Amino acid sequence: MAFSVAAEIERDLISVGTKKALRARKASRLPFERPKGLGMCKLDPFRPAIEALPAIGSTQKFIAKRYGTKPANLSN
């Protein structure tokens, strides 16, 4: 019973905070979604090196670890 009351109070506080943040965002006339189109990636400066590494036999896992990302991000 006590945990359910605490969870309900927490849910209400999160709801109030979210609504407050959305009102502030709307008042500042900022968009609610991510910008459309291709953006800059933190790996763009290293693109030539990343593209050359598989040619010398490096695995995607090794390359991802070296540049601090995940293997799935390399294809993006």
Side-chain angles (χ1 to χ4, degrees):
M1 176 85 175
F3 287 119
S4 65
V5 171
E8 188 175 338
I9 291 170
E10 182 180 11
R11 185 188 68 218
D12 291 341
L13 290 174
I14 291 171
S15 175
V16 168
T18 302
K19 288 177 183 176
K20 183 179 177 182
L22 287 173
R23 279 194 302 269
R25 183 85 178 195
K26 188 174 184 180
S28 66
R29 299 184 185 260
L30 292 173
F32 286 96
E33 67 275 346
R34 289 183 176 190
K36 295 191 178 5
L38 296 175
M40 289 293 294
C41 174
K42 72 175 188 174
L43 298 175
D44 282 347
F46 309 109
R47 186 180 191 104
I50 291 172
E51 289 175 345
L53 284 172
I56 59 172
S58 296
T59 64
Q60 277 196 341
K61 190 173 182 179
F62 169 79
I63 298 168
K65 188 173 183 180
R66 182 174 182 179
Y67 290 100
T69 187
K70 295 181 179 178
N73 289 339
L74 293 176
S75 63
N76 295 336

